[in-house]
Amino acid sequence: MNTLLSWLGKADVENMQKGELAALASIALKHEPVFDNIIILANSWHDKTLAYHSWLSDLLSKNGRPCESLQVKNVELVSPIDYESIHVATESWITPLADKSDTLCINISSGTPAMAVISVLLGKGKDNTSFYQSAPDNTIAEAVIPLDFGREYVKSAAKNAASKALKLPNTGKAFSAITAKSAVMKETIAEAKNLAASDVPILITGETGTGKENMAKAIHQASLRADKPIRVVNCGAIPETLVDSILFGHTKGAFTGAISDKEGIFEQAHGGTLFLDEIGELSAGVQVKLLRALQQGEINRVGDDKTINVDVRIIGATHRDLTKMMIDGEFREDLFYRLAVGIIQIPALRERADDIPVLIDEFQQTINHTCSKQPNYKRKKLSESAIKFVESQPWPGNIRELWNTMNRVFITSGKSNIEAEDIQKAMIKREAHSDNAQINLAFGQQVELEQIIEKTKKKYILAALKATGNHLTRTAEMLSLSNRQTLKNWMKSLKIE
């Protein structure tokens, strides 16, 4: 048995009143093979359904097609765009019709877009279902929909979770949403607010993963340039041969591959802000051009002598020690002082422990929301012991490392309650760096070697105890000691409680 299932659309009713075909009637009359069974669902025009049934029956009969099994069923919906009620009504017909029919054809031209979407989603799950649509000239064609929606949904949800995990968490707009419960972070934001109100160049310093880009964007959003663009460039990620072109643009034919004139980032940011991340990676030649742009507001595209005036506020950022680089001749002193009119030092995560519980709460909400669309995902939460463990760690990768670690735990763990041990397993293990600094002693100079050794031992023991949450066995393992008793003996001799 061949069955046609369709919603009754507005055009179907209006054309019936004019004696003309629309999508539903076209498919019913022209499809081959003929339909043995036609079911029409109507949520509106209940006063017209009897007339439509009679009109379509006559057409089918005149064209030698079966009309005895034509049915028009009135369906109650919350509205013609309410997906939930449309889903309930459509499923109640698609499943039994697909079970008892050899082929089930579904008209997706009639009715609302919501009706078509639900019909496709449900119909794709049946192996004997096909979809038809009608063109304005009433020609009909099978709609080939090759997607496996279930698989595509899972793939899309997984990609979304992976994409979010790879990015630093978005902590919102301007300064109001930057986590700042700790005194040191509150002070940092206060300084940034004052600098944002001015238009001076700014240098943001701090370790990798502290959120320098978020700070730069907050400064831009709080400045008088907020209605203009902000452009972000990672200077360390640009090939040396393309830095000039990317920053200042190029003309057609300036080099192989320059097939047209192109604006550089400076021109794109005109009137707004240019954030140069990892500014310490710029070569000496580019530093000279950057200095000119800062001092005179002028640039030249690669391959062009024409001077272009630009009005751009520069915010630079680096995790490197630019003062040492100046001494070593790696960074221009005049550029440094021209750029560092305002300086913001973002504290490391270990220096702002009061912010960690707030960050944890934000991160777990974000990760749970992102992963909730994945099948069989359980919402997760860190236990008190896990939070205390996180607070005890130095997090050399700062916020980025904490974010990635939590993503790793939440995605891989099947538990709802995350304990300290789960965090420990998910952390990246680092080898301790040995101190290779050369020691120079002058003739006759004396040192208390035993005292130096004891101080060093004490520092490492205290650091290991903190890292393990005062767990003696794990501390002994971290310090490569044979057992916890050896550790206890050392602690006693060093007066460590």
Side-chain angles (χ1 to χ4, degrees), residues 1-6 31 35 90 93-108 116 118-132 142-147 149:
M1 180 174 66
N2 298 320
T3 300
L4 172 64
L5 175 65
S6 174
H31 184 269
F35 293 115
T90 306
W93 282 97
I94 281 184
T95 298
L97 287 176
D99 288 343
K100 69 180 182 181
S101 302
D102 297 313
T103 59
L104 172 62
C105 296
I106 300 177
N107 169 24
I108 57 175
I118 296 298
S119 296
V120 171
L121 287 174
L122 294 176
K124 282 291 291 181
K126 312 298 181 183
D127 58 9
N128 61 340
T129 300
S130 56
F131 305 93
Y132 279 82
E142 183 176 0
V144 179
I145 306 172
L147 297 179
F149 287 102

Side-chain angles (χ1 to χ4, degrees), residues 437-443 445 447:
Q438 186 176 357
I439 298 174
N440 297 304
L441 294 175
F443 178 74
Q445 184 179 354
V447 293

Side-chain angles (χ1 to χ4, degrees), residues 7 79-83 86-87 90 111-120:
W7 284 93
S79 82
I81 59 173
D82 178 69
Y83 282 87
I86 294 172
H87 176 273
T90 306
T112 64
M115 294 170 178
V117 167
I118 296 298
S119 296
V120 171

Side-chain angles (χ1 to χ4, degrees), residues 186-233:
K186 287 179 180 178
E187 184 178 344
T188 302
I189 287 179
E191 293 174 0
K193 284 181 178 179
N194 291 334
L195 288 171
S198 68
D199 205 37
V200 298
I202 295 173
L203 178 64
I204 302 175
T205 62
E207 296 178 5
T208 299
T210 50
K212 295 186 286 294
E213 184 175 334
N214 278 346
M215 180 63 75
K217 289 180 177 178
I219 291 171
H220 171 75
Q221 290 164 0
S223 73
L224 296 175
R225 297 174 178 262
D227 60 337
K228 299 295 183 180
I230 178 172
R231 293 289 182 264
V232 178
V233 179

Side-chain angles (χ1 to χ4, degrees), residues 4 21 70 74 77-78 103 151 161 174 176 246 285 315 356 366 377 390 398 419 425 459 471:
L4 172 64
L21 299 181
L70 170 65
N74 292 330
L77 301 177
V78 174
T103 59
R151 184 183 302 167
S176 60
I246 290 173
I315 300 178
I356 290 178
T366 301
Y377 178 79
V390 170
N398 293 290
E419 301 293 346
K425 291 177 183 177
K459 285 180 181 179
H471 194 290

Side-chain angles (χ1 to χ4, degrees), residues 104-412:
L104 172 62
C105 296
I106 300 177
N107 169 24
I108 57 175
S109 289
S110 299
T112 64
M115 294 170 178
V117 167
I118 296 298
S119 296
V120 171
L121 287 174
L122 294 176
K124 282 291 291 181
K126 312 298 181 183
D127 58 9
N128 61 340
T129 300
S130 56
F131 305 93
Y132 279 82
Q133 54 193 356
S134 171
D137 63 355
N138 290 324
T139 57
I140 66 171
E142 183 176 0
V144 179
I145 306 172
L147 297 179
D148 181 331
F149 287 102
R151 184 183 302 167
E152 291 301 317
Y153 177 88
V154 172
K155 188 193 301 182
S156 176
K159 283 184 177 179
N160 184 46
S163 176
K164 288 287 182 68
L166 288 173
K167 298 176 182 177
L168 272 177
N170 179 11
T171 51
K173 295 181 179 179
F175 299 104
S176 60
I178 292 180
T179 303
K181 188 177 179 181
S182 63
V184 65
M185 200 61 192
K186 287 179 180 178
E187 184 178 344
T188 302
I189 287 179
E191 293 174 0
K193 284 181 178 179
N194 291 334
L195 288 171
S198 68
D199 205 37
V200 298
I202 295 173
L203 178 64
I204 302 175
T205 62
E207 296 178 5
T208 299
T210 50
K212 295 186 286 294
E213 184 175 334
N214 278 346
M215 180 63 75
K217 289 180 177 178
I219 291 171
H220 171 75
Q221 290 164 0
S223 73
L224 296 175
R225 297 174 178 262
D227 60 337
K228 299 295 183 180
I230 178 172
R231 293 289 182 264
V232 178
V233 179
N234 186 334
C235 301
I238 306 175
E240 177 69 24
T241 54
L242 296 179
V243 173
D244 277 12
S245 172
I246 290 173
L247 289 180
F248 307 115
H250 62 253
T251 59
K252 181 179 179 180
F255 51 84
T256 304
I259 59 175
S260 62
D261 291 353
K262 185 175 181 180
E263 286 186 345
I265 298 295
F266 265 90
E267 290 180 77
Q268 295 173 25
H270 181 70
T273 303
L274 177 56
F275 175 55
L276 299 175
D277 198 9
E278 300 301 343
I279 197 169
E281 307 300 323
L282 292 177
S283 67
V286 178
Q287 289 179 36
V288 173
K289 296 178 181 179
L290 180 57
L291 178 62
R292 179 188 173 210
L294 275 169
Q295 289 179 329
Q296 302 172 19
E298 296 177 350
I299 63 168
N300 291 96
R301 290 183 180 177
V302 177
D304 195 358
D305 294 331
K306 179 184 175 182
T307 297
I308 300 173
N309 294 317
V310 288
D311 172 24
V312 174
R313 181 187 197 175
I314 301 292
I315 300 178
T318 183
H319 71 282
R320 301 181 66 179
D321 185 350
L322 293 187
T323 55
K324 184 178 184 301
M325 290 179 67
M326 284 192 297
I327 295 171
D328 295 339
E330 298 175 358
F331 199 83
R332 292 183 63 95
E333 188 173 351
D334 47 4
L335 175 58
F336 175 81
Y337 288 115
R338 189 67 181 82
L339 179 65
V341 179
I343 299 179
I344 298 172
Q345 170 71 44
I346 301 183
L349 186 57
R350 60 185 172 276
E351 297 168 359
R352 43 185 293 210
D354 289 344
D355 293 328
I356 290 178
V358 183
L359 288 168
I360 288 173
D361 187 57
E362 291 176 2
F363 293 175
Q364 60 191 13
Q365 287 186 44
T366 301
I367 300 169
N368 279 326
H369 177 72
T370 301
C371 295
S372 62
K373 296 181 180 180
Q374 297 187 59
N376 304 318
Y377 178 79
K378 293 181 181 178
R379 291 184 63 84
K380 298 175 180 65
K381 185 176 181 180
L382 267 66
S383 67
E384 288 299 319
S385 66
I387 293 174
K388 288 180 180 178
F389 175 77
V390 170
E391 291 174 324
S392 73
Q393 297 306 297
W395 299 108
N398 293 290
I399 295 174
R400 183 181 286 112
E401 183 181 2
L402 174 58
W403 168 252
N404 288 342
T405 301
M406 287 187 60
N407 268 283
R408 205 172 295 119
V409 173
F410 277 49
I411 291 171
T412 59

